[in-house]
Amino acid sequence: MNDLINSSLEKLKEKNIPNAEIDLRVLLNYSNYSKNEIILSNFDLDQININLFNEVLNRRLSKEPISKIINKKNFWKDEFYVNEFVLDPRPETEGIIEESTKLIKNKHYSIKILDIGTGSGALAISLAREFINAKIMAIDISEEAIKVANANINNKKLNNQIKLKHTTIDNINEKFDLIVSNPPYLTKKELENTPYEIKNYEPLIALDGGEDGLYFYRDFSKKINNIMNVNSYLIFEIGEGQFRDCIDIFRLSKLNFHKKAQDLQKKDRILIYSKL
Ligand code: GLN
């Protein structure tokens, strides 16, 4: 195997970076001049921009996540542009899309959807893919996140279907058939203990759910009923261990608990409410 490959793998492993081979392959391809995909066993030094490679390898060695280095993250059926101003879309959040498609069987319905705290736009865009006649509003309180979501919506030519707004739930005066959200829900303590890669490279504003992590659920529970149509659903993500608290909080909302869904580790991660 090539010297550069060997030495890079060694450095990555020294820093305890999991999946060193996979990361190295991604970084080599990020620095790839040629049209041919690089695999570690057929690598030729002429294929890459060595300065660029050294720069991105060093970033990875200082624990920056691959997604933030290459500015890409896959979610559901798409690849999204991401940067330090948005939370990387995560696999557990795909459960929101899955549950939406189970609840609303006709993909051609012209439903109105709201995504609260859209971040990269991953949920809004994935829902636009599934419900091709839906009209979607995606909101966020972070101006920088709105720019990222806008870039993704433009890339995917979904401007007619998704309207972005830099605002909060308080300024929404319409009603929707489906509301989705992955709000910030980490407790103060969880935030302190969150891994370095998240703490340093993901935006605090997308993670911080206040002292007990439940700030946004309390806020939604007071306001959401007014912006839901009859026969509509609310689907949102919760943190580990927040199921009971969320059930208590949403008792005030006048919505009906419909079901919960679990992630691959069998943890309760998604709650569904309906307005009858
Ligand atoms: N699941 C995320 C994490 O643990 C938190 C996402 C959120 O607060 N919405 O980093």
Side-chain angles (χ1 to χ4, degrees):
M1 221 189 268
N2 178 291
D3 286 348
L4 181 75
I5 303 255
N6 277 333
S7 67
S8 306
L9 279 179
E10 229 163 78
K11 287 180 198 163
L12 288 163
K13 285 178 182 167
E14 235 166 65
K15 295 273 180 190
N16 294 322
I17 291 180
N19 311 316
E21 282 85 1
I22 296 174
D23 284 9
L24 180 57
R25 185 168 159 171
V26 172
L27 296 177
L28 286 167
N29 278 298
Y30 184 76
S31 326
N32 191 352
Y33 275 137
S34 72
K35 284 205 171 60
N36 302 328
E37 166 94 13
I38 295 172
I39 53 170
L40 301 191
S41 55
N42 77 352
F43 171 67
D44 176 357
L45 201 53
D46 294 342
Q47 283 178 284
I48 61 162
N49 174 340
I50 187 73
N51 291 331
L52 180 60
F53 173 72
N54 283 329
E55 182 207 313
V56 293
L57 179 68
N58 283 329
R59 284 169 67 183
R60 187 66 192 115
L61 290 171
S62 62
K63 300 277 163 87
E64 183 168 353
I66 282 283
S67 55
K68 303 299 192 201
I69 299 174
I70 67 171
N71 296 115
K72 281 178 193 157
K73 185 79 185 177
N74 289 317
F75 178 85
W76 197 245
K77 298 175 180 171
D78 284 282
E79 184 180 85
F80 292 89
Y81 169 75
V82 292
N83 64 17
E84 72 269 35
F85 298 114
V86 295
L87 197 71
D88 281 356
R90 289 154 161 67
E92 54 270 29
T93 310
E94 290 174 334
I96 293 182
I97 310 295
E98 208 178 311
E99 294 302 324
S100 304
T101 59
K102 281 191 214 158
L103 285 172
I104 303 161
K105 296 242 160 47
N106 189 333
K107 297 200 163 192
H108 297 274
Y109 276 157
S110 35
I111 48 173
K112 278 178 67 186
I113 302 177
L114 175 67
D115 176 14
I116 307 171
T118 196
S120 63
L123 279 177
I125 288 166
S126 301
L127 288 168
R129 297 261 184 249
E130 296 303 320
F131 302 105
I132 51 174
N133 296 320
K135 284 278 176 236
I136 302 175
M137 185 187 287
I139 63 173
D140 207 291
I141 49 174
S142 157
E143 206 158 346
E144 293 298 336
I146 291 284
K147 287 183 197 160
V148 174
N150 193 38
N152 280 315
I153 291 165
N154 282 338
N155 284 342
K156 294 169 202 324
K157 304 196 167 48
L158 289 168
N159 308 66
N160 286 335
Q161 221 188 330
I162 306 174
K163 291 280 161 279
L164 263 179
K165 276 193 187 165
H166 176 221
T167 189
T168 68
I169 181 177
D170 301 284
N171 298 317
I172 303 296
N173 302 309
E174 307 169 37
K175 289 185 195 286
F176 297 87
D177 305 297
L178 172 64
I179 299 182
V180 297
S181 186
N182 173 21
Y185 56 63
L186 295 189
T187 65
K188 191 160 180 260
K189 202 151 184 228
E190 283 170 337
L191 208 50
E192 279 163 16
N193 297 327
T194 203
Y196 181 89
E197 297 200 6
I198 296 179
K199 210 190 277 181
N200 282 274
Y201 296 100
E202 301 262 43
L204 186 65
I205 194 174
L207 295 166
D208 182 359
E211 186 71 32
D212 64 358
L214 300 166
Y215 175 87
F216 287 93
Y217 305 121
R218 282 197 195 91
D219 190 54
F220 293 175
S221 69
K222 292 177 201 134
K223 299 168 184 166
I224 211 102
N225 190 43
N226 288 334
I227 57 168
M228 289 174 73
N229 275 326
V230 173
N231 284 327
S232 63
Y233 291 101
L234 165 68
I235 309 182
F236 58 94
E237 184 170 319
I238 60 170
E240 228 184 294
Q242 291 178 329
F243 174 67
R244 280 280 138 221
D245 287 331
C246 281
I247 293 286
D248 285 345
I249 288 170
F250 273 84
R251 264 189 242 290
L252 297 168
S253 71
K254 299 194 200 123
L255 298 176
N256 305 289
F257 175 65
H258 183 74
K259 73 175 258 205
K260 64 178 181 176
Q262 297 175 327
D263 64 14
L264 295 174
Q265 281 88 45
K266 298 260 175 280
K267 292 187 174 130
D268 300 331
R269 294 308 293 274
I270 288 168
L271 295 192
I272 304 172
Y273 279 83
S274 64
K275 178 167 172 173
L276 301 176

